[in-house]
Amino acid sequence: MRALDVARFFVALSFMIPLASPPGAHAADPPRDIKGLYLMTDYPAITVKPGATTNIPLRLQNYGLGPEEYKLSVEGVPSGWTATLLGGGQPVAAAMPAPDGSVSLQLRLDVPKNAGLNAQTLTVKAEGQGTNQGSNQASLPLAVSLARELPAKLTLTTKLPELRGSPKSNFEYTLTIKNDSGRNLTTSFTAEAPNNFETSFTEAYGTQELSAIPIEAGQSKDIKLKVRPPSSIDAGHFPVSVTVNAEDASAKAELALDVVGQPQLQVAGRDGLLSARAVAAQQSSVPIVVTNSGTAPAENVTLNASAPTGWKVTFEPKTIERLVPGKDAEVQALITPGEKSLAGDYMVSVNANSRGESASSQFRITVSTSTVWGMAGAGVIGVALLLMLGAVARFGRR
């Protein structure tokens, strides 16, 4: 790179780098037209509770004066009250702020429980010994009002007060409890629901069940309410009331859940029979009754069966298009036992399904062998007997 290019590069870089500010350029320099000693606070008028201790932050500010010791005092303290000036966490009687500097102080007030509710004015003073020319003292009046503590206050809110689901659903509500009091509270909560409804409270992001929870003053916490209706409940609108209590405060929230209808299937034989007869290798028709005892129609009910190996089971019709609550429908199970099935009892499971709802029953099928095979067996036995008799007759003469 040529020397001229290098020079141009550093010139451009000098414009990109901000100039260094002189030390203290951004500091909060005191206005040049102010000089003297000042006592200051962010809160010159406060309210305290009888029987309580209150700390008021103060600052002793020195503008343009030389270092000097200033004696501290509080005037106008009512009888029975205690006023203590603190510096660095301990009682102090004097302070010495540096030129254009400040010293942090606190005024601690201990108010007796039996103090009247009349407003009081206390004056904090700082007095020098006259070393500095000009003002060498400062005072700060503080207006102190007394009031009994406000009663506890709670609020209870939820973003989703109404939920919808089936009788098998778990309804979960997220509730926010806010402590609008000036003190910490331990809140307890209860839920009122219709008969046979199960309710429980848990942490918002946990599974631990709760009956109470502490909440700091001015803070809020979330809890979760779980409501489980009985599985046999009919469709409808059901209210749930939640109450939160803490000392003399309470809050209430009205919730609701809408239970929609749901089919409930049952499978049985005609007249409730769960047994039938069949012949090996021959098709038998067994009536199957499907009942909907739920609160909503069952759509597209399909049937299937689980049978022994080598068996064939089909249904006529294969699907029940719609089964309204309180009604039943009959289908025929066409069962064909395997050719090698021996005489005896066998179990066949018949299942009905409709969009997540299912039911099944076990049917005992008593199988007997075919008459043709029985006659053939008898013939074989007869031939064997004749051969045996002939052999006995022939060889018996010898």
Side-chain angles (χ1 to χ4, degrees):
M1 183 180 291
R2 294 180 304 175
L4 180 59
D5 293 333
V6 173
R8 288 176 179 175
F9 171 76
F10 281 105
V11 170
L13 185 62
S14 66
F15 284 101
M16 297 176 61
I17 301 176
L19 295 176
S21 300
H26 297 286
D29 293 334
R32 295 306 178 185
D33 57 344
I34 296 179
K35 186 175 182 180
L37 187 71
Y38 295 88
L39 268 169
M40 295 180 289
T41 181
D42 294 336
Y43 309 104
I46 63 170
T47 300
V48 300
K49 175 189 173 184
T53 297
T54 302
N55 289 327
I56 307 170
L58 308 172
R59 294 190 307 279
L60 181 61
Q61 180 72 52
N62 177 354
Y63 286 133
L65 301 178
E68 183 178 346
E69 179 181 335
Y70 297 93
K71 291 185 178 180
L72 303 174
S73 62
V74 183
E75 295 182 355
V77 180
S79 177
W81 291 35
T82 300
T84 307
L85 286 167
L86 305 175
Q90 59 186 359
V92 295
M96 182 182 292
D100 295 328
S102 64
V103 174
S104 296
L105 303 169
Q106 281 188 328
L107 174 61
R108 171 174 169 169
L109 290 179
D110 294 289
V111 182
K113 290 184 178 180
N114 58 354
L117 299 182
N118 298 327
Q120 305 289 338
T121 299
L122 282 66
T123 302
V124 182
K125 289 188 174 183
E127 297 179 305
Q129 304 303 311
T131 303
N132 288 315
Q133 295 180 357
S135 176
N136 65 345
Q137 65 177 6
S139 63
L140 174 65
L142 296 173
V144 181
S145 299
L146 277 75
R148 303 300 178 188
E149 188 173 28
L150 295 175
K153 182 181 179 182
L154 297 172
T155 57
L156 180 63
T157 57
T158 180
K159 293 182 179 179
L160 300 174
E162 294 193 15
L163 299 178
R164 180 183 178 90
S166 71
K168 295 183 178 180
S169 301
N170 281 325
F171 297 80
E172 296 186 354
Y173 305 84
T174 299
L175 302 162
T176 300
I177 307 173
K178 185 176 182 182
N179 177 7
D180 288 322
S181 307
R183 62 184 184 276
N184 300 342
L185 297 174
T186 298
T187 61
S188 60
F189 21 84
T190 58
E192 294 183 8
N195 291 336
N196 300 322
F197 278 60
E198 296 180 7
T199 61
S200 62
F201 292 94
T202 62
E203 299 172 297
Y205 302 102
T207 58
Q208 180 63 46
E209 292 193 11
L210 306 171
S211 60
I213 193 170
I215 305 178
E216 296 181 357
Q219 300 300 310
S220 61
K221 285 191 177 180
D222 291 340
I223 61 172
K224 185 179 292 184
L225 168 64
K226 295 182 180 181
V227 181
R228 183 180 179 88
S231 58
S232 59
I233 193 82
D234 292 334
H237 182 83
F238 301 92
V240 177
S241 179
V242 179
T243 303
V244 178
N245 294 287
E247 297 181 7
D248 54 346
S250 65
K252 201 169 188 178
E254 299 297 336
L255 310 175
L257 53 101
D258 291 314
V259 178
V260 297
Q262 183 173 358
Q264 186 171 354
L265 301 177
Q266 295 177 345
V267 176
R270 185 185 294 169
D271 299 325
L273 296 177
L274 295 175
S275 61
R277 292 183 175 275
V279 178
Q282 294 185 12
Q283 185 182 87
S284 299
S285 181
V286 179
I288 304 295
V289 178
V290 181
T291 304
N292 181 6
S293 59
T295 56
E299 308 286 349
N300 298 320
V301 182
T302 59
L303 293 105
N304 58 77
S306 176
T309 302
W311 287 42
K312 181 181 178 181
V313 181
T314 60
F315 295 91
E316 184 63 37
K318 297 180 180 180
T319 303
I320 303 171
E321 293 185 0
R322 182 181 174 86
L323 188 59
V324 299
K327 299 296 183 178
D328 55 46
E330 184 175 292
V331 300
Q332 298 299 316
L334 306 179
I335 301 176
T336 304
E339 293 182 359
K340 298 181 180 180
S341 298
L342 302 176
D345 292 338
Y346 297 82
M347 301 305 296
V348 174
S349 177
V350 177
N351 309 299
N353 298 275
S354 173
R355 297 180 181 178
E357 179 64 26
S358 63
S360 64
S361 288
Q362 296 282 341
F363 285 78
R364 187 183 71 227
I365 306 300
T366 301
V367 176
S368 58
T369 56
S370 171
T371 305
V372 174
W373 285 105
M375 294 177 62
V380 171
I381 294 173
V383 171
L385 289 174
L386 290 175
L387 291 174
M388 185 180 65
L389 291 174
V392 171
R394 179 179 178 179
F395 293 104
R397 294 183 187 146
R398 294 181 184 181

